[in-house]
Amino acid sequence: MEYRIETSQLFGCPRVTGSEVSSPYIYGEDGSLAPGSDRTRRVESYLRKRNLPASVAQRMRIVLCWMKGHLTATSKRKLGAAPSTVSRWKQRYEKDGVLGLATIHPGQPPQKLTPQLRAKVLERTRQAPPDGSTHWSLRKMAAVMKVNKNLIARIWKEADLKPHRLERYMASNDPQFEEKAAAIIGLYLNPPQNAAVFCVDEKSAIQALDRLDRRLPLSPGRAEKHGFEYYRHGTLSLYAALNPQTGEVIGQTAARHTSQEFVDFLDEVVSNQPAGQEIHVILDNFATHKTDLVKRFLQRHPNVRLHFTPTYSSWLNQVESWFSKLQPDVIDRGIFTSIADLKSKIIVPDLFFAEFANVLWKAQRRGRCDARLADSAIRELISIGFPAFPSVSLIEAAIQIARAYQPHGLWLHLRGLGRGNKK
């Protein structure tokens, strides 16, 4: 039997070190390598490596069967290799040796961010995507511009563009928008001397929802969980008047949401102010705010003046900020067993913390808040029926309350809503 000899370099092959040198291929007349050749033993040694990639090992098994002359139809089925696969890796091995069995990804040339490319991407971002969707994504833009998505992300970040975000707005159609807005902002920034300013609104139809399944408390690695099903005990409306200068909030609950309840609440607000004091009330354009009952109330109280926000501009009313704090902190995750339970959970905690917060605010305004003041404030709260803090000192309790209740930096002070209120 005659043999022919060919050489091939092994340098650069995966799992092959630079100390290894090339050795000759030794082929027989049937095209197989001579038994016991160095090349066959070397491939077998590669297959014994534990860290050899599975894809490379499969190719080496194909080549090894071919070198030993065992590449039959049965062995091809066992290896799971199609004839085209066998032919490809035989040619790669004959051309490049073991190096040809490795998968080499040349990659893409680095892409540079040029001013021209940035301008093209920004201009294309303002246009609609070609696939009919409403907004762009990183991969959509990268496919259209034929660049890497990380480059698109960099351009959008530099330009502060967020195509996935959507914000909604409501434009006011009030022809007197500027005049009304200027008057309300003026009351906030420069209120009349010796006058009281209140932002008044109502939060209607607050649902008293009781969960049918028990609450699963917060635990490490798991958020607090509420059952999906609930029982609805009814609804309650909350009227609130916020003094933007002091943070004082006067609140009152009502079973119904009519003009009569609104007028009753205005009477409550007026009764908490000195007699004859000028009062400015900022409110929205709800129908119950413009009835004959309200007109008669204004005739009885000439010192009260109503300022209506422009249409679709309730954001000018600062009491909305207080409602936005009340909703997530008390209502959204609250479990209420009755209407009375809902009322107590909305009112009593606010009253307890706010009464003391008002005292601390006065001390802060004078530039001091010492232990003597905190001690006297806590004792005053305990004297009117609020719970004590037996496990901590009075000054520690004062610090806890001050830190716990400062929504949006406003000190809240509710009047006439204690446990003894009969309304």
Side-chain angles (χ1 to χ4, degrees), residues 150-169:
N150 295 330
L151 202 61
I152 302 297
R154 178 182 169 187
I155 296 173
W156 282 356
K157 184 177 181 180
E158 291 176 354
D160 196 22
L161 292 177
K162 302 175 182 178
H164 65 287
R165 296 288 300 274
L166 175 66
E167 295 181 356
R168 302 187 185 276
Y169 72 97

Side-chain angles (χ1 to χ4, degrees), residues 204-223:
S204 60
I206 303 174
Q207 300 185 83
L209 302 181
D210 189 6
R211 301 293 168 181
L212 298 182
D213 298 319
R214 69 184 184 89
R215 180 183 68 88
L216 301 180
L218 175 72
S219 61
R222 185 180 70 179

